[in-house]
Amino acid sequence: MEMLETTIYAVIISFFIGVILCPVLIPMLHRLKFGQNVRDDGPESHLKKTGTPTMGGIAILIAFAVTSVVFSKGNSDAIAVILVTLCFGAVGFIDDYIKIVKKRSLGLRAWQKIVLQLVITGVFCAYVVSNVSGYSNIIVPFLNRTVNLGVIYIPFLFVVVLGTVNGVNLTDGLDGLSSGVTVLVAAFFAVMALVMSSGISPVAGAVVGALLAFLIFNSYPAKVFMGDTGSLALGGFVASTALILKMPIFIVIVGFIYFIESLSVIIQVGSFKLFHKRVFKMAPIHHHFELCGWNETKVVMVFYIVTAMLCLVAFLSLKTFIF
């Protein structure tokens, strides 16, 4: 009961910090001219978003960090998740800063991003191997059992972290899409952390609260975007939380939207390079649906519904652990 109360307090306090911060941060970003550059080859409806303040992920990270530090009570797993989230957020911040302030359209070079992400993932991997009991055992959905990955666990961890981080980043393309999908994913992991009596439940609660606050300003029509500062941080949170809870496979279920967004880009690029043909009208896939005639809010709402339903499926797949 104490852990449940702590997690609820984390949600509420993080929410109020976010609600207070966003109206302060948005005018600052306007004054600093930290505006979004919109691709001119995308849906025409997106051109009006040009100049909308980005790097709003700063508000998410402050609300998350302050609340998490207060309620984590020195729990080592919680601290690991906090640090992974903040470190990936720092990479995103540098990328955003270079793109917007230095006017270099691509931000960090691809190799720089990869190196930084590999370093963060490597340090987190060292923590998991050294401090998480039975770290290579992962829960398998529907089978009500765990499987020991043995020597393949470490490369598996790198794939999970890097794939999730970049999947969340690709999902951040419509007003409220990445933040709304991730608030549902974070809520799922918060519940599972409570069920498992894990000390990371308040950290997950802090993410839920921060994202609910951010959605007030990021839902259509968005007054601010999270930028890579927010999306990379959220990817780091989802991946590290799932790995600490030994539930990385569940990212494919509850984070199916991240997976399909990434897969659509891989298919699009691969198809064009191999056959000089495009499978989708545009990738990631949320833009494909827009170009098929869906308006932005419909795409976002459908993706929310899909995520919510898959979270319920994930809960059902864990009946031995929950019921």
Side-chain angles (χ1 to χ4, degrees):
M1 184 60 70
E2 180 183 353
M3 186 66 74
L4 175 60
E5 289 181 3
T6 300
T7 303
I8 292 172
Y9 278 125
V11 174
I12 294 170
I13 292 172
S14 183
F15 173 80
F16 279 110
I17 292 174
V19 166
I20 293 167
L21 274 177
C22 283
V24 175
L25 181 65
I26 293 170
M28 288 177 59
L29 295 172
H30 265 299
R31 286 195 298 271
L32 294 168
K33 302 186 186 303
F34 285 6
Q36 178 74 28
N37 294 314
V38 177
R39 291 167 56 178
D40 56 12
D41 61 340
E44 288 186 15
S45 60
H46 286 220
L47 295 177
K48 63 185 178 183
K49 300 175 188 283
T50 300
T52 302
T54 188
M55 297 177 75
I58 294 170
I60 298 173
L61 287 178
I62 292 173
F64 160 77
V66 171
T67 308
S68 296
V69 169
V70 170
F71 288 102
S72 63
K73 299 178 180 178
N75 180 278
S76 61
D77 287 347
I79 292 170
V81 172
I82 294 168
L83 290 176
V84 169
T85 304
L86 294 178
C87 286
F88 275 108
V91 174
F93 178 86
I94 294 168
D95 193 43
D96 284 335
Y97 184 84
I98 292 171
K99 282 188 285 190
I100 297 164
V101 179
K102 299 296 184 181
K103 307 297 183 185
R104 201 170 82 197
S105 60
L106 295 178
L108 286 169
R109 292 180 172 83
W111 70 266
Q112 292 173 320
K113 272 188 184 180
I114 292 170
V115 168
L116 289 171
Q117 291 182 12
L118 284 172
V119 169
I120 297 168
T121 306
V123 173
F124 175 66
C125 180
Y127 169 81
V128 171
V129 171
S130 302
N131 295 276
V132 177
S133 176
Y135 65 88
S136 60
N137 292 309
I138 62 170
I139 301 170
V140 181
F142 301 105
L143 297 184
N144 298 310
R145 55 170 293 187
T146 61
V147 171
N148 190 327
L149 296 184
V151 294
I152 69 168
Y153 178 81
I154 290 176
F156 174 77
L157 180 148
F158 274 80
V159 170
V160 169
V161 175
L162 298 178
T164 304
V165 167
N166 291 288
V168 176
N169 184 239
L170 289 170
T171 304
D172 185 34
L174 301 179
D175 294 2
L177 179 56
S178 186
S179 46
V181 167
T182 305
V183 79
L184 293 168
V185 174
F188 169 81
F189 283 121
V191 171
M192 291 312 305
L194 285 168
V195 169
M196 297 178 180
S197 301
S198 171
I200 67 174
S201 59
V203 176
V207 171
V208 171
L211 286 176
L212 287 173
F214 187 71
L215 266 170
I216 296 173
F217 306 92
N218 181 237
S219 58
Y220 184 87
K223 295 179 174 64
V224 65
F225 300 133
M226 68 172 67
D228 286 0
T229 306
S231 61
L232 294 186
L234 293 176
F237 160 77
V238 172
S240 57
T241 298
L243 287 158
I244 292 290
L245 294 176
K246 303 177 182 178
M247 302 178 70
I249 296 177
F250 285 81
I251 297 175
V252 179
I253 301 175
V254 300
F256 177 75
I257 296 301
Y258 310 146
F259 175 74
I260 201 68
E261 295 274 27
S262 299
L263 186 61
S264 68
V265 172
I266 293 169
I267 291 172
Q268 187 83 327
V269 172
S271 175
F272 188 76
K273 285 188 174 181
L274 291 173
F275 309 110
H276 303 289
K277 291 184 179 180
R278 291 181 172 87
V279 175
F280 305 103
K281 293 185 176 181
M282 188 176 178
I285 200 168
H286 55 256
H287 290 316
H288 171 79
F289 287 118
E290 282 189 287
L291 293 175
C292 285
W294 290 23
N295 62 45
E296 182 173 352
T297 52
K298 180 176 181 178
V299 177
V300 171
M301 188 54 63
V302 169
F303 281 26
Y304 286 178
I305 292 168
V306 169
T307 302
M309 295 305 296
L310 288 174
C311 284
L312 293 178
V313 170
F315 280 129
L316 287 175
S317 76
L318 285 160
K319 60 183 180 181
T320 299
F321 291 90
I322 299 176
F323 304 110

